Amino acid sequence: MEILMIFTSGIIIAVATYLFMTRSILRVVFGVVMLSHGVHLLILTLAGLETGAPPLLTEEAAAYTDPLPQAVILTAIVISFGVSAFLLVLSYRTYKEHDTDDLEELRGNPNE
Amino acid sequence: MSTLHFVALAPFIMAIIIPFCYFKFRNIHTGWFVLPLPLILFIYLLTFIPFDGQLFQPVEHAVPWVPSLDIYFTVYLDGLSLLFALLITGIGALVVLYSIYYIANKNNEPLHNFYVYLLMFMGAMLGVVLSDNLIVLYVFWELTSLASSLLIAYWFHKEKSRYGAQKSMLITVSGGFAMLAGFSLLYVLAGSFSIREIVSAADSIAGEPLFLAAMILILLGAFTKSAQFPFHIWLPDAMEAPTPVSAYLHSATMVKAGIYLVARMTPVFGTSAEWFWILIIFGLTTLTWGSISAIRQTDLKGILAFSTVSQLGLIMSLLGMSSAALHYDIVNTETLYTTAAMAAVLHLINHATFKGSLFMAVGIIDHETGTRDIRKLGGLMAIMPVTFTISLIGLASMAGLPPFNGFLSKELFFTASLNVASLDIFNLETLGFFIPVVAWIASVFTFVYSMLIFTKTFTGEFKPDNYSKHVHEAPAGLLISPIILGVLVIVFGFFPNMLAYTIIEPTMQSILPGLTSGDDQFYINIYHWHGLNAEIMMTIAVIFIGAAIALNLKKWQTSFFFARERDPLNYVYDGALDQLVIRSQQITRAQMTGRLSDYMLYMVIFISSLGLWTFFRYDALAIDLSGDQSIPAYMMVLTFVLLAATLALPFITHRVTNIALLGVVGFLIAALFVVFRAPDLALTQLLVETVMVVLFLLAYKHLPEIKKESKNKGSHLIKGVVAASVGVFVIITSLSVHALRNDSDITPISDFFIENSKSLAGGYNMVNVILVDFRGLDTLLEVLVLAIAALGVVTLIKHKMHGGEDV
């Protein structure tokens, strides 16, 4: 199971890297979102995917899933959401000011 | 702090006071306030000379500066330091006096700048010669470079001044850096920054592997400072400085800092053959090159600059020859081998006197006629009789004519070179005969350019049309300093032995310690007349052949070599500097493209290749595919859909489809969280993903269509390969981590949370207890991040740009 998940997150991260290198700001923002997905999944996977009960004591199970990576990922999700939202508005504002969201056209005057 | 510390520090203190004097007393020339300081220092230093014929007793005082790094401000006054300190303060006093009349107050000259720089230089130079600690020496050394550049660019509105200052700064400071590296190596070898301790450890460090590197680095510093070939090119351009500066820094003191360093280091490095050969080869090359180049100059200061270069080469080669003496442990008062050391010290003194007076005389000619061009000058003998006399004495001494002091040192130079050529160490038996031959040729050229200055300036016809001013003799004040130096040239010429026991013997003691034992010391005697020996024959030949060349110089002046006044090495320097700028611009342009994708490429390639290299270098690859749980069918489906949506993203440019695919990925991740028993994560992920998709859909209306990427297949391929390699890197790393995780004995700390979340925190939901209780600080800051992001979003949307403002 872990190996499948490792490959999955690897592919997600590869796609994110590709999106970073495209010309549209919007797609770069997509890349940020994808990268955070891949990393969250990787954190969970590398902490171990043992089959225990969900980390709720009311379950009264013999073994629980590791709660720490879940707490870490929860924090990471919120932060990446904040960052992605900010980047999205930034790309919106950039487009409003410069009439383009093409990174190639946003390079400016080379003689500046 | 002892009085000797104040000798080095007093000029700096004075430099602080000088601007006040300048602004407070505008009617009095600022130089008068400066003048007492070098005079007092000079008289104070004179008291150290053992006039009673006793053995010179070195004086030492230490003040801790950074004791933990072995840096002490130690002043150490022995013969060598005393000689230099006397030169610096004595000529310093004369130069200050001369500058009072040279730079007139009336033209609103920024005199306070001039004297602050000059005092800073004087203090730094005294610091160099008095320091026993290498790091302190280095600090003062760089201060002399700085002060010199400031003085060269004193008239900073002239472009040539700025060019000269920049050049001298670049060359001497890069040499200084090399020297610092050499000092550090010496510290590694000897374990101390103290020069005397290094000297006492000289025998043990001689064979070490770093020994040669340290020697070459330190010599680089000395050669750049002392304008040795090929680093001499800054000196002629430094002639843009006011003439008192040229006289002081660029003939008598600063350029001798390198000589000082070499003399200081002779006891450390002198026993090796490399030291001997490097000094001799570079010294003689500089001597010859400088004397030949001097003939091509048309500017009087240019001739003197190359003459200085040449004479410094002479002293440098003499120091090289004197290191041969370290190979013979004979206490021999009339020894053959110490002649070179004696000649070096004597010529050092002589050169400071006659070159100082010559520069001042040239300054007077420039001051009174308005030109220094030898093609315009002529016939000044009758008009400026005093200047003429001073110049004649200086030139005769420089050319090595009796009875002036230059004759003595030149004879000794010939003696030393003949002696060294007859030695049978360091392969001298095969190559040694070159040394006196080269020395002799250089002396011929020295004679030629000395005669050239004489004939072009003072003899010939006087043409009043050539001058912008009414030409007359200089005022008395301007003449005092050169007259004193000229008198010294004669006095030292007639009574050389008054220098012998007072200063030359103690100095030789410092350069060649260990050759004398106990209370023994060097006894030297300098004669004018040695009888009809080889040296006197060489001098006579120099005079005749030199005169013949000088009289026929016109025939060769049209040749290619003489047509160019500028040193050809300048083209190398200028070209290298230009190329440096051009190439670095090219590199920057090629690398800093301004494209996000390119920067991503650099980072990604660097990180991935570093990671992959580490894997193979340290054999950290540990992929263990066994022992994995079986994958249920629904997981297969989930993963397949997830990957399909992910891989479709780069290929679809339709925006709404893109956003939908992003949503699919997000929701499937939430589903995975459900599968992996993380209910809180699944909940948050669902919420966040929903909000995110809504946000994207809100924004897309205001954003343009995603443009088609360029049709360039190659760039797509590169990006694809790079992205894939990142994926591979992540997968390999994760697999290794996963495999190694099972091997290690580390147990997760989560057991603590599982056991205690009820008893310590009173909660049943472990994830929530961790978030708000065990690790509450994370949550606090995460809330802060969200708040800042929200504020940023509001600002970006609400804030309107005003005219001219950019995003």
Side-chain angles (χ1 to χ4, degrees), chain B residues 247-573:
Chain B
Y248 189 35
L249 272 71
H250 306 127
S251 71
T253 50
M254 186 180 87
V255 287
K256 297 209 170 82
I259 303 276
Y260 168 80
L261 191 71
V262 168
R264 236 327 150 229
M265 290 292 161
T266 298
V268 181
F269 297 114
T271 47
S272 67
E274 291 91 351
W275 177 263
F276 176 84
W277 280 112
I278 291 174
L279 284 181
I280 294 223
I281 289 169
F282 279 90
L284 288 178
T285 311
T286 314
L287 169 62
T288 320
W289 184 262
S291 60
I292 294 174
S293 302
I295 298 169
R296 305 187 299 167
Q297 305 298 309
T298 54
D299 178 5
L300 282 177
K301 274 176 100 175
I303 303 179
L304 289 181
F306 277 107
S307 149
T308 304
V309 169
S310 151
Q311 307 278 328
L312 290 170
L314 188 153
I315 302 173
M316 204 61 100
S317 64
L318 278 172
L319 285 173
M321 292 174 199
S322 69
S323 73
L326 290 172
H327 278 262
Y328 297 89
D329 301 329
I330 328 152
V331 183
N332 187 348
T333 49
E334 291 288 321
T335 177
L336 219 57
Y337 314 112
T338 53
T339 314
M342 178 170 83
V345 178
L346 184 64
H347 196 69
L348 187 76
I349 302 168
N350 294 344
H351 178 250
T353 54
F354 71 68
K355 193 53 67 64
S357 75
L358 279 176
F359 263 108
M360 289 176 185
V362 165
I364 291 169
I365 292 168
D366 186 17
H367 204 260
E368 302 305 327
T369 64
T371 182
R372 297 192 309 250
D373 195 329
I374 57 170
R375 289 166 298 193
K376 289 186 182 171
L377 293 165
L380 293 177
M381 194 193 292
I383 297 162
M384 305 172 80
V386 184
T387 315
F388 163 70
T389 316
I390 298 163
S391 307
L392 185 64
I393 295 167
L395 291 170
S397 178
M398 184 157 78
L401 299 182
F404 303 106
N405 58 9
F407 172 72
L408 304 168
S409 42
K410 184 139 296 181
E411 290 292 283
L412 286 171
F413 173 52
F414 286 151
T415 314
S417 56
L418 287 170
N419 283 345
V420 165
S422 65
L423 293 181
D424 56 353
I425 48 172
F426 306 147
N427 288 328
L428 270 170
E429 61 273 25
T430 48
L431 295 162
F433 76 96
F434 277 114
I435 295 170
V437 171
V438 172
W440 182 82
I441 292 171
S443 298
V444 171
F445 284 110
T446 306
F447 187 87
V448 172
Y449 69 70
S450 302
M451 205 167 151
L452 199 68
I453 298 178
F454 175 73
T455 52
K456 294 279 182 181
T457 315
F458 296 105
T459 63
E461 198 183 336
F462 178 71
K463 295 181 193 126
D465 297 344
N466 280 348
Y467 310 112
S468 51
K469 295 177 177 178
H470 169 66
V471 182
H472 57 86
E473 183 56 273
L478 209 49
L479 288 167
I480 300 171
S481 303
I483 288 174
I484 293 173
L485 286 172
V487 168
L488 284 179
V489 170
I490 301 174
V491 171
F492 291 162
F494 278 107
F495 310 106
N497 284 313
M498 65 182 275
L499 291 172
Y501 71 89
T502 51
I503 195 76
I504 295 178
E505 284 168 11
T507 308
M508 287 170 70
Q509 203 82 30
S510 318
I511 300 176
L512 303 168
L515 287 192
T516 55
S517 56
D519 282 346
D520 236 345
Q521 63 181 86
F522 291 102
Y523 293 104
I524 57 167
N525 212 343
I526 306 164
Y527 307 102
H528 260 283
W529 181 248
H530 304 268
L532 266 179
N533 53 9
E535 293 91 314
I536 202 82
M537 292 310 207
M538 283 164 84
T539 304
I540 291 167
V542 162
I543 294 170
F544 280 105
I545 294 175
I549 293 176
L551 294 175
N552 294 307
L553 205 60
K554 266 213 169 73
K555 289 177 193 163
W556 296 312
Q557 255 165 355
T558 48
S559 72
F560 177 74
F561 179 75
F562 279 101
R564 294 177 177 205
E565 197 182 342
R566 251 169 97 75
D567 198 301
L569 282 167
N570 280 309
Y571 299 104
V572 177
Y573 167 84

Side-chain angles (χ1 to χ4, degrees), chain A residues 1 27 47 52 66 93 104, chain B residues 628 650 677 741 750 796 799:
Chain A
M1 192 84 95
R27 293 186 108 191
D66 195 339
R93 186 61 196 255
E104 198 66 25
Chain B
D628 205 38
R677 293 170 187 80
R741 178 177 171 270
S750 301
L796 274 178
H799 183 70

